[in-house]
Amino acid sequence: MAQRHLDPTDPTAAAGPPPVPAGGDALADYLRAQATEFLRALRLHRESGAGAHGNGAHPSGAHPSGAGALDRGRGRGPAPAPDGPVDAARALRRAARRLSGTLHTFQPLLDAEWAEAMRPELAWLSGTLALEHAYASRLDRLLQALHRLSGSAAFPAQQAGRAAPARAAATPDPAPVAPLAPSVTRPSPADRGNLTVGAAKAGALLDRQLTLARTRAHSTALQALGSSRFHAVADKVALLASEVPLKDTAAAAADLRPLAAAARDRLTDAVAALPLVTAGNPYNAQALVHGLSPDPAPHPQDAQWHQVRLLLRLHRYALEVLAGTDAEDADGADGTTDVRLLAAGEALDRHRDASEAAAAAAQAARTPRIAPATAYALGVLHADQRHEVEAARYAFQHSWRKEPIRL
């Protein structure tokens, strides 16, 4: 299929065909549906024994999963049951992100005091639950890169049973707790010989640091799920599944398209401010301009791209509201899905992962009294991940400049 290159600053390039008109009732249906998904994921997470309270009991005696609210939820049928606590936690984060993003975009139509109090709590929950998975994925990514750079296809051997005792020691709950994120595969000790000495020691150092960070994130997530702050959020979501606090009666008939267009315009403006000309080549010297800086602050350009990633998510959530369904699970109201937005989102996700992995390698290289060979391996790893950052930026601008593909 021929692709027509467009100016990324043109708002019509991001919009595609005009969305189907939707009113405040569509917003209420979407919020109820996401609240129902939140409560369903919470119930499955507790039933699987992954919560701080294995029996799922609310401290006040009420069940936080809101079984009655589940029956009153509208907008979508029952979703497939997540497979275990990992999928349940992912579904919980997913629903929290969509609720928080939708409240941000369509806040003028909702009760202002309620939305201002609810949105940061949902963002806190989503961010807390995402930390353990992020550390596990970061370690996996860095170990894969080390072996790729050293000409080996296997993971470096890790000390067996080191992560599990550390997690058990950091978790005060005596009840068995299932992990919120999958464990990184550990190969046999013979595979360590495939690595150079510096790369093997760099992998061991990264494993110690990121496993410790993951263990702490696991404990933090368990504490968050058992805190009164979380139960207050769950109670509010249970109420949201049955009643959406719109601003007034006129909000039920309000047109959602201007607010959705504003979210699209914010995304378009942010993309226009990106250095897309620099990202026009998959690899360029901008990736390593600050590579030797002793400043532990993030790369100065990364913040702009992370902001675009967040705005792209808000834009996608607004389109879901207008379509009256979840774009990841079903087609839009006009039977179409914008493949370009999905490709751009995947590129920005890779950008985020690579930039955070590069920062982790740089932080490990600042560890006092490490061997020169270890520091050299970590420096090469950092450069590799910064090149991955540039490749992700190239992939984003390559997909963004194309005409939206409607399937």
Side-chain angles (χ1 to χ4, degrees), residues 291-314:
L292 298 179
S293 172
D295 187 3
H299 195 279
Q301 285 188 2
D302 287 352
Q304 288 180 271
W305 290 86
H306 295 337
Q307 180 66 14
V308 169
R309 176 177 172 271
L310 296 178
L311 292 175
L312 180 60
R313 274 189 171 181
L314 293 178

Side-chain angles (χ1 to χ4, degrees), residues 315-326:
H315 175 53
R316 286 182 50 225
Y317 298 162
L319 292 181
E320 291 177 8
V321 175
L322 294 182
T325 185
D326 190 339

Side-chain angles (χ1 to χ4, degrees), residues 2-393:
Q3 302 293 329
R4 179 167 60 90
H5 292 269
L6 301 178
D7 183 0
T9 61
D10 182 8
T12 60
V20 177
D25 290 337
L27 173 62
D29 290 341
Y30 183 83
L31 289 175
R32 281 193 292 264
Q34 295 304 322
T36 300
E37 293 299 324
F38 180 97
L39 297 172
R40 181 181 290 111
L42 175 59
R43 182 182 62 187
L44 293 174
H45 194 269
R46 292 190 179 281
E47 289 176 353
S48 65
H53 301 284
N55 58 1
H58 192 286
S60 63
H63 198 290
S65 61
L70 285 174
D71 298 333
R72 294 191 299 269
R74 301 178 180 84
R76 293 174 60 187
D83 183 14
V86 174
D87 288 340
R90 184 180 297 112
L92 195 63
R93 298 197 310 267
R94 181 174 179 270
R97 284 198 310 265
R98 276 168 166 74
L99 285 172
S100 178
T102 304
L103 295 183
H104 175 80
T105 302
F106 298 101
Q107 181 172 341
L109 300 180
L110 300 167
D111 180 82
E113 183 177 356
W114 175 84
E116 283 290 343
M118 189 70 171
R119 185 166 55 86
E121 295 301 293
L122 291 168
W124 159 77
L125 175 62
S126 175
T128 301
L129 295 181
L131 282 178
E132 182 184 6
H133 174 73
Y135 285 123
S137 299
R138 197 170 306 157
L139 177 60
D140 190 6
R141 181 185 186 91
L142 289 171
L143 294 183
Q144 289 275 17
L146 275 174
H147 278 270
R148 172 171 48 81
L149 294 170
S150 60
S152 173
F155 285 95
Q158 310 296 333
Q159 297 178 4
R162 178 172 57 200
R167 185 181 300 112
T171 306
D173 192 351
V177 175
L180 296 179
S183 300
V184 179
T185 304
R186 309 299 187 191
S188 63
D191 293 330
R192 183 182 284 274
N194 295 329
L195 284 173
T196 63
V197 175
K201 291 184 177 180
L205 177 60
L206 289 169
D207 179 71
R208 288 195 301 271
Q209 292 184 349
L210 293 178
T211 299
L212 177 60
R214 180 188 174 189
T215 301
R216 291 173 175 171
H218 181 81
S219 300
T220 301
L222 291 179
Q223 294 172 3
L225 291 175
S227 65
S228 58
R229 182 180 182 182
F230 169 75
H231 289 301
V233 174
D235 290 340
K236 292 180 180 179
V237 173
L239 294 176
L240 179 62
S242 58
E243 182 180 359
V244 177
L246 295 175
K247 186 175 183 180
D248 48 38
T249 55
D255 190 356
L256 302 181
R257 289 177 297 177
L259 294 175
R264 180 201 65 205
D265 293 341
R266 287 192 292 269
L267 169 64
T268 304
D269 294 341
V271 172
L274 291 175
L276 290 183
V277 175
T278 303
N281 298 310
Y283 301 103
N284 59 73
Q286 290 296 324
L288 300 176
V289 166
H290 300 273
L292 298 179
S293 172
D295 187 3
H299 195 279
Q301 285 188 2
D302 287 352
Q304 288 180 271
W305 290 86
H306 295 337
Q307 180 66 14
V308 169
R309 176 177 172 271
L310 296 178
L311 292 175
L312 180 60
R313 274 189 171 181
L314 293 178
H315 175 53
R316 286 182 50 225
Y317 298 162
L319 292 181
E320 291 177 8
V321 175
L322 294 182
T325 185
D326 190 339
E328 290 187 357
D329 297 336
D331 291 336
D334 58 350
T336 64
T337 300
D338 193 344
V339 179
R340 189 188 65 153
L341 289 181
L342 298 180
E346 291 175 358
L348 291 175
D349 287 342
R350 294 197 302 271
H351 175 275
R352 186 270 317 269
D353 294 341
S355 65
E356 292 181 348
Q363 182 175 358
R366 297 185 182 96
T367 303
R369 296 183 297 278
I370 59 175
T374 305
Y376 173 78
L378 290 170
V380 173
L381 183 60
H382 174 268
D384 173 76
Q385 292 303 301
R386 289 310 305 181
H387 280 304
E388 292 288 339
V389 166
E390 292 296 313
R393 292 178 181 180

